[in-house]
Amino acid sequence: MKYSVSLDILHLSVCLNKDKQSTQVELERARSIYQEHPDDHVLGTKLLLFDMQNAKVVRRSGGLKEIAVCSLFSATDIAVRWEPDVQISIFELILYLKLLVHTEKLKEANDEFSEDAVTAQLEKWKEVVANSKHADKNKKKESLFAVDVEMLSISAEVGDGVEATVKVQSIFSENARIGVLLEGLILCFNDCRIFKSSRMQISRIPKTSNGPDATLTTTWDWVIQGLDVHICMPYRLELRAIDDSVEDMIRALKLIMA
């Protein structure tokens, strides 16, 4: 099957500020479309894979000593669609790229190493070691990542005749490493609402314990808090058939990729 994947970007702007050590990227709209071509003159299935509107990414160095980098991602509307054919196509593309990289490595291995090539390789290794040491010094500093998304919609064909949909009206977090607040969360199977919550907070808290070598080790416990939670199991929804269909889909994808 011949196919094509397109990416349309509308009004992209990038701003770099050396004084403030910040980078800002603004995007009015980005859209990716998957199109099948069963014949040279006939177009097949057309699928909207990704659609994002009014997105902004801001990254700057942290002003506080304990914060290394502060980042922000915001968007007004994000829609994502997944289907098995798309996954197979992407996996095929990855295989072609791996084959290309492997071929280039074989060509480089067959070439004779000159003295200049060896010197350049040694200099590259020295640079990598220096960067790793510099990274270890800043390892103690944490990165802050904030998220602000007004609408998120994820739909997927998880099985033959089984459609799953997840919608979130708002996603907000001052630091995604600590927790995320979800508002208007809805989970549906075949247009049947299974789960709904007006507000749900997913966060983690540190838990310090004594290790076997008498040292303090920090682990994390997950905490999920929900407000106005509804779990509904429609009597007309064939759960056993859905479970079998999802298992068949996963098994088929594993066989094809193998």
Side-chain angles (χ1 to χ4, degrees):
M1 174 67 70
K2 296 180 180 180
Y3 64 91
S4 62
V5 178
S6 62
L7 177 62
D8 299 331
I9 297 178
L10 182 63
H11 293 170
L12 174 65
S13 63
V14 181
C15 179
L16 302 177
N17 192 324
K18 293 184 178 179
D19 297 332
K20 297 181 179 180
Q21 296 181 357
S22 64
T23 303
Q24 179 172 328
V25 180
E26 293 187 6
L27 180 66
E28 181 175 336
R29 187 172 187 180
R31 184 174 59 177
S32 179
I33 297 177
Y34 170 84
Q35 178 76 63
E36 293 182 354
H37 303 273
D39 192 4
D40 294 336
H41 304 286
V42 179
L43 296 179
T45 304
K46 187 176 182 180
L47 184 65
L48 181 62
L49 300 179
F50 178 77
D51 191 0
M52 182 172 61
Q53 300 181 22
N54 301 323
K56 179 187 293 186
V57 178
V58 180
R59 189 178 187 274
R60 63 178 177 83
S61 60
L64 302 177
K65 293 182 179 180
E66 62 272 11
I67 302 297
V69 178
C70 298
S71 303
L72 167 66
F73 172 77
S74 64
T76 57
D77 194 353
I78 299 177
V80 182
R81 173 67 180 175
W82 179 90
E83 284 194 3
D85 293 340
V86 177
Q87 180 172 341
I88 294 173
S89 302
I90 295 176
F91 184 75
E92 182 184 7
L93 177 61
I94 294 174
L95 289 180
Y96 279 123
L97 293 177
K98 287 184 177 180
L99 179 61
L100 180 61
V101 173
H102 181 68
T103 304
E104 291 297 326
K105 287 183 177 180
L106 289 179
K107 290 182 179 178
E108 293 179 359
N110 292 331
D111 295 337
E112 294 182 357
F113 282 97
S114 61
E115 184 178 353
D116 295 337
V118 174
T119 304
Q121 187 67 29
L122 290 175
E123 293 295 332
K124 186 183 295 185
W125 288 343
K126 291 180 181 178
E127 184 178 356
V128 171
V129 172
N131 292 335
S132 62
K133 291 182 179 179
H134 181 70
D136 292 338
K137 292 180 181 180
N138 299 329
K139 191 175 182 180
K140 296 182 179 180
K141 294 185 178 180
E142 295 184 354
S143 298
L144 190 148
F145 184 72
V147 180
D148 185 9
V149 178
E150 295 184 9
M151 185 65 187
L152 173 65
S153 177
I154 302 175
S155 60
E157 181 185 349
V158 294
D160 187 11
V162 181
E163 290 283 334
T165 305
V166 178
K167 292 184 179 180
V168 185
Q169 293 182 359
S170 176
I171 302 176
F172 177 78
S173 175
E174 293 183 353
N175 188 357
R177 293 170 57 89
I178 298 177
V180 179
L181 177 63
L182 309 176
E183 293 184 349
L185 174 62
I186 298 177
L187 171 63
C188 300
F189 278 102
N190 291 350
D191 296 330
C192 294
R193 191 184 68 192
I194 304 297
F195 182 88
K196 178 183 177 182
S197 177
S198 60
R199 175 173 293 187
M200 178 171 290
Q201 181 174 342
I202 303 174
S203 56
R204 62 175 190 166
I205 57 176
K207 179 182 178 182
T208 305
S209 60
N210 293 326
D213 54 352
T215 59
L216 295 178
T217 58
T218 302
T219 58
W220 296 90
D221 285 344
W222 290 94
V223 179
I224 300 178
Q225 296 174 313
L227 178 65
D228 190 20
V229 178
H230 294 268
I231 300 176
C232 179
M233 304 302 293
Y235 71 95
R236 291 185 177 181
L237 189 62
E238 300 177 354
L239 297 179
R240 181 59 182 272
I242 290 177
D243 184 53
D244 294 340
S245 180
V246 173
E247 288 184 0
D248 292 341
M249 180 68 69
I250 295 175
R251 189 181 301 110
L253 288 175
K254 287 182 178 180
L255 289 174
I256 293 174
M257 292 180 181

